[in-house]
Amino acid sequence: MSTVMKMTVPAFSHPPQSWHTIDWYLVQRQVRGLQVRIAKATKQQQWRRVKALQRMLVRSFAAKALAVRRVTENRGKRTPGVDRELWGTPELKWQAITRLKRQGYRPKPLRRVYIPKANGKSRPLGIPTMLDRAMQALYLLALEPVSETTADRNSYGFRPIRSTADAIEQCFVNLSRKSSAEWVLEGDIKGCFDNISHDWLLANVPLDKQVLRRWLKAGYLESGSLFATEAGTPQGGIISPVLANLALDGLETVLESHFGQKNTKASYKTKVNYVRYADDFVITGISKELLEDKVKPLVEAFMGERGLTLSPEKTLITHVDDGFDFLGQNIRKYKGKLLIKPSRKNLRNLLQKVKGIISGNKTVTAGLLVALLNPVLRGWANYHRHIVAKETFNYVDYRVWKMLWKWCRRRHKNRQFRWVKAKYFKSVGNRNWVFSGEVAEQKMLRLFYCNDTPIKRHIKLKAEANPYDLAFEQYFELRLERTWRDSMAGQWKVLYLWQRQQKCCPVCRFPITFETEWNIHHIVEKVKGGSNELDNLVLLHPNCHRQLHN
């Protein structure tokens, strides 16, 4: 008997009989234990062991239950595939667990829809069926520990815990010093997700080849016609981003093999550094000739093996004094000092979106308009809160005020300015022009002002940190706590409950994070006289909340 089979994992003392009797704490412990072992075997390059552990994971009840839970709780849970099937009840979810089998599995074609892009064009998106989504989520549980262990250190897109702020901070590290590189290669891959070679994926992705081939060749359905897919990953599928990452990983190693690893003599001569977020990347260099003649051919050859090409129009070589846009932010040196600000294009898109909301809701109440605007403004300000954005925040507040004043004046053309101001704009603290309006139950909503967002430097994630490596367990816990404190500064009640519960859901005893989301539960229901006092409140995962009420 192999070592893999000898090792045991926690078992269910009483096997669950329905969806709401599943012990989610035990389920997640089982899956987590196998994922840690897969990551360890990957690090040691024991590929036969990796394959055996992956097979054990995808056959387990725990992994299947987690996969079904994921696809029935995410934002796409109400969007059906070509079979128009949804899993909206506990009974259907329970039945779905038994349907997740490799034997006889045949994925259905994707339902093709189009979503608008920022440039006015449309992006094709494929929507798999619920069964195909759950199967992808199941195999993703086995693939992600491998992809995280083998990933490029400075790759930040579509990876757990990493963010755009980490990528921008790494750009600052690479370019901010006086001795830093002054030239940047802005890379743009032409139709990355649509053109990745199927042959390369099947030969190099450590996943069940038969299942992977069926996903890649499933095709898509549009206007009643079936179209074959000869290249690319299944866009819209849960596993698609990880497949794309696996295809693009390795470029950092190629560059280091030619120009030296970081902090070595060879790297000081060329100053070649690499940062990637999804299919966008930047590479720094000491001169334009180095990037044009040596780095760019290496990148093109690397991409060519995977069936990809660089876009000639969008792949540019820029001096840092001229600046360049990356992930919606402009990175540029001003008289030798590197400053990162919101890009003009990103700012223009925000103002156009705000204008569309205001002009499209000319007859709604002021309270409802505030409710529509606040998530947009708050989300945009939070995205840019780690960079030099205070001046831009002031400008956004001014432009939004002008649009709202025009909206108010249109509704009351015969009224004096002072009357309009008194009706819609209140004094709050040191502010005299706070746009406000009532919503249900005479609750007053106030407009969010971007300038109220404090600027705070982002602390970058360690490049080598791996969420499936137990050596980094404490590091990620401390980082999560710091993130909650920063993000929940205005929601002290949620932060207090989260800390009181030791960051865990009391039902499933598993961590509450921004990814899992949460609900506030009243121990004694409000209809039975329960209060909103902290002693009567508890944070629960959404699924645990439903389970408790059922």
Short mmCIF file of all heavy atoms in Angstrom, two decimals, residues 215-237:
data_model
loop_
_atom_site.label_atom_id
_atom_site.label_comp_id
_atom_site.label_asym_id
_atom_site.label_seq_id
_atom_site.Cartn_x
_atom_site.Cartn_y
_atom_site.Cartn_z
N TRP A 215 -13.42 19.82 -21.35
CA TRP A 215 -13.75 21.22 -21.11
C TRP A 215 -13.28 22.11 -22.25
O TRP A 215 -14.00 22.99 -22.71
CB TRP A 215 -13.10 21.70 -19.81
CG TRP A 215 -13.79 21.21 -18.57
CD1 TRP A 215 -15.09 20.87 -18.44
CD2 TRP A 215 -13.19 21.03 -17.29
NE1 TRP A 215 -15.36 20.48 -17.16
CE2 TRP A 215 -14.22 20.56 -16.42
CE3 TRP A 215 -11.92 21.19 -16.78
CZ2 TRP A 215 -13.98 20.28 -15.08
CZ3 TRP A 215 -11.68 20.92 -15.43
CH2 TRP A 215 -12.70 20.47 -14.60
N LEU A 216 -12.06 21.87 -22.69
CA LEU A 216 -11.48 22.73 -23.73
C LEU A 216 -12.21 22.57 -25.06
O LEU A 216 -12.32 23.53 -25.84
CB LEU A 216 -9.99 22.40 -23.91
CG LEU A 216 -9.07 22.68 -22.71
CD1 LEU A 216 -7.66 22.20 -23.00
CD2 LEU A 216 -9.06 24.16 -22.35
N LYS A 217 -12.71 21.39 -25.34
CA LYS A 217 -13.34 21.10 -26.64
C LYS A 217 -14.88 21.16 -26.58
O LYS A 217 -15.53 20.75 -27.53
CB LYS A 217 -12.91 19.71 -27.14
CG LYS A 217 -11.40 19.51 -27.25
CD LYS A 217 -10.78 20.42 -28.31
CE LYS A 217 -9.29 20.14 -28.48
NZ LYS A 217 -8.67 21.05 -29.46
N ALA A 218 -15.43 21.66 -25.49
CA ALA A 218 -16.89 21.63 -25.31
C ALA A 218 -17.63 22.50 -26.33
O ALA A 218 -18.77 22.22 -26.67
CB ALA A 218 -17.26 22.08 -23.89
N GLY A 219 -16.99 23.57 -26.82
CA GLY A 219 -17.64 24.46 -27.77
C GLY A 219 -18.59 25.42 -27.07
O GLY A 219 -18.72 25.44 -25.84
N TYR A 220 -19.29 26.23 -27.87
CA TYR A 220 -20.26 27.17 -27.30
C TYR A 220 -21.47 27.29 -28.22
O TYR A 220 -21.39 27.03 -29.42
CB TYR A 220 -19.63 28.55 -27.06
CG TYR A 220 -19.14 29.26 -28.31
CD1 TYR A 220 -19.99 30.14 -29.00
CD2 TYR A 220 -17.85 29.08 -28.78
CE1 TYR A 220 -19.55 30.81 -30.14
CE2 TYR A 220 -17.41 29.73 -29.92
CZ TYR A 220 -18.25 30.60 -30.59
OH TYR A 220 -17.83 31.26 -31.72
N LEU A 221 -22.58 27.69 -27.62
CA LEU A 221 -23.86 27.79 -28.33
C LEU A 221 -24.23 29.26 -28.46
O LEU A 221 -24.29 29.99 -27.47
CB LEU A 221 -24.94 27.04 -27.54
CG LEU A 221 -26.15 26.50 -28.31
CD1 LEU A 221 -25.71 25.48 -29.36
CD2 LEU A 221 -27.12 25.85 -27.33
N GLU A 222 -24.46 29.70 -29.69
CA GLU A 222 -24.83 31.09 -29.94
C GLU A 222 -25.89 31.14 -31.03
O GLU A 222 -25.70 30.56 -32.11
CB GLU A 222 -23.61 31.92 -30.33
CG GLU A 222 -23.91 33.41 -30.50
CD GLU A 222 -22.66 34.21 -30.82
OE1 GLU A 222 -21.59 33.61 -31.05
OE2 GLU A 222 -22.75 35.45 -30.83
N SER A 223 -26.99 31.80 -30.75
CA SER A 223 -28.10 31.94 -31.70
C SER A 223 -28.57 30.58 -32.21
O SER A 223 -28.90 30.42 -33.39
CB SER A 223 -27.68 32.83 -32.88
OG SER A 223 -27.30 34.10 -32.41
N GLY A 224 -28.55 29.59 -31.35
CA GLY A 224 -29.04 28.27 -31.71
C GLY A 224 -28.06 27.41 -32.48
O GLY A 224 -28.38 26.28 -32.83
N SER A 225 -26.84 27.93 -32.74
CA SER A 225 -25.83 27.17 -33.50
C SER A 225 -24.68 26.78 -32.59
O SER A 225 -24.28 27.56 -31.71
CB SER A 225 -25.31 28.00 -34.67
OG SER A 225 -26.37 28.36 -35.53
N LEU A 226 -24.12 25.60 -32.83
CA LEU A 226 -23.00 25.10 -32.04
C LEU A 226 -21.70 25.43 -32.76
O LEU A 226 -21.53 25.14 -33.94
CB LEU A 226 -23.13 23.59 -31.85
CG LEU A 226 -22.00 22.91 -31.06
CD1 LEU A 226 -21.96 23.43 -29.62
CD2 LEU A 226 -22.17 21.38 -31.07
N PHE A 227 -20.73 26.02 -32.02
CA PHE A 227 -19.43 26.38 -32.58
C PHE A 227 -18.35 25.64 -31.80
O PHE A 227 -18.40 25.55 -30.57
CB PHE A 227 -19.19 27.89 -32.48
CG PHE A 227 -20.16 28.71 -33.28
CD1 PHE A 227 -21.38 29.11 -32.73
CD2 PHE A 227 -19.87 29.08 -34.59
CE1 PHE A 227 -22.28 29.86 -33.47
CE2 PHE A 227 -20.77 29.83 -35.33
CZ PHE A 227 -21.97 30.23 -34.78
N ALA A 228 -17.38 25.13 -32.53
CA ALA A 228 -16.27 24.40 -31.90
C ALA A 228 -15.24 25.37 -31.33
O ALA A 228 -15.12 26.50 -31.79
CB ALA A 228 -15.61 23.48 -32.92
N THR A 229 -14.50 24.94 -30.31
CA THR A 229 -13.40 25.74 -29.76
C THR A 229 -12.09 25.01 -30.03
O THR A 229 -11.87 23.91 -29.54
CB THR A 229 -13.58 25.93 -28.24
OG1 THR A 229 -13.90 24.67 -27.64
CG2 THR A 229 -14.69 26.91 -27.93
N GLU A 230 -11.23 25.65 -30.84
CA GLU A 230 -9.95 25.04 -31.21
C GLU A 230 -8.80 25.57 -30.38
O GLU A 230 -7.71 25.02 -30.38
CB GLU A 230 -9.67 25.30 -32.70
CG GLU A 230 -10.73 24.77 -33.64
CD GLU A 230 -10.91 23.26 -33.52
OE1 GLU A 230 -9.93 22.56 -33.17
OE2 GLU A 230 -12.03 22.78 -33.75
N ALA A 231 -9.02 26.67 -29.67
CA ALA A 231 -7.98 27.26 -28.83
C ALA A 231 -8.65 28.05 -27.72
O ALA A 231 -9.84 28.34 -27.77
CB ALA A 231 -7.07 28.17 -29.65
N GLY A 232 -7.86 28.39 -26.69
CA GLY A 232 -8.37 29.22 -25.60
C GLY A 232 -8.93 28.41 -24.44
O GLY A 232 -9.18 27.22 -24.57
N THR A 233 -9.09 29.10 -23.32
CA THR A 233 -9.68 28.48 -22.14
C THR A 233 -11.17 28.80 -22.09
O THR A 233 -11.61 29.78 -22.69
CB THR A 233 -9.01 29.02 -20.86
OG1 THR A 233 -9.18 30.44 -20.81
CG2 THR A 233 -7.52 28.70 -20.85
N PRO A 234 -11.96 27.99 -21.37
CA PRO A 234 -13.41 28.22 -21.33
C PRO A 234 -13.76 29.47 -20.52
O PRO A 234 -13.93 29.42 -19.31
CB PRO A 234 -13.95 26.95 -20.65
CG PRO A 234 -12.80 26.40 -19.87
CD PRO A 234 -11.56 26.78 -20.62
N GLN A 235 -13.83 30.63 -21.19
CA GLN A 235 -14.10 31.88 -20.49
C GLN A 235 -15.46 31.84 -19.81
O GLN A 235 -16.44 31.40 -20.39
CB GLN A 235 -14.06 33.05 -21.48
CG GLN A 235 -12.66 33.43 -21.90
CD GLN A 235 -12.62 34.81 -22.54
OE1 GLN A 235 -13.00 35.79 -21.93
NE2 GLN A 235 -12.13 34.88 -23.76
N GLY A 236 -15.47 32.32 -18.58
CA GLY A 236 -16.68 32.25 -17.78
C GLY A 236 -16.66 31.06 -16.84
O GLY A 236 -17.43 31.01 -15.89
N GLY A 237 -15.78 30.10 -17.10
CA GLY A 237 -15.64 28.95 -16.22
C GLY A 237 -14.79 29.28 -15.00
O GLY A 237 -13.90 30.13 -15.06
#
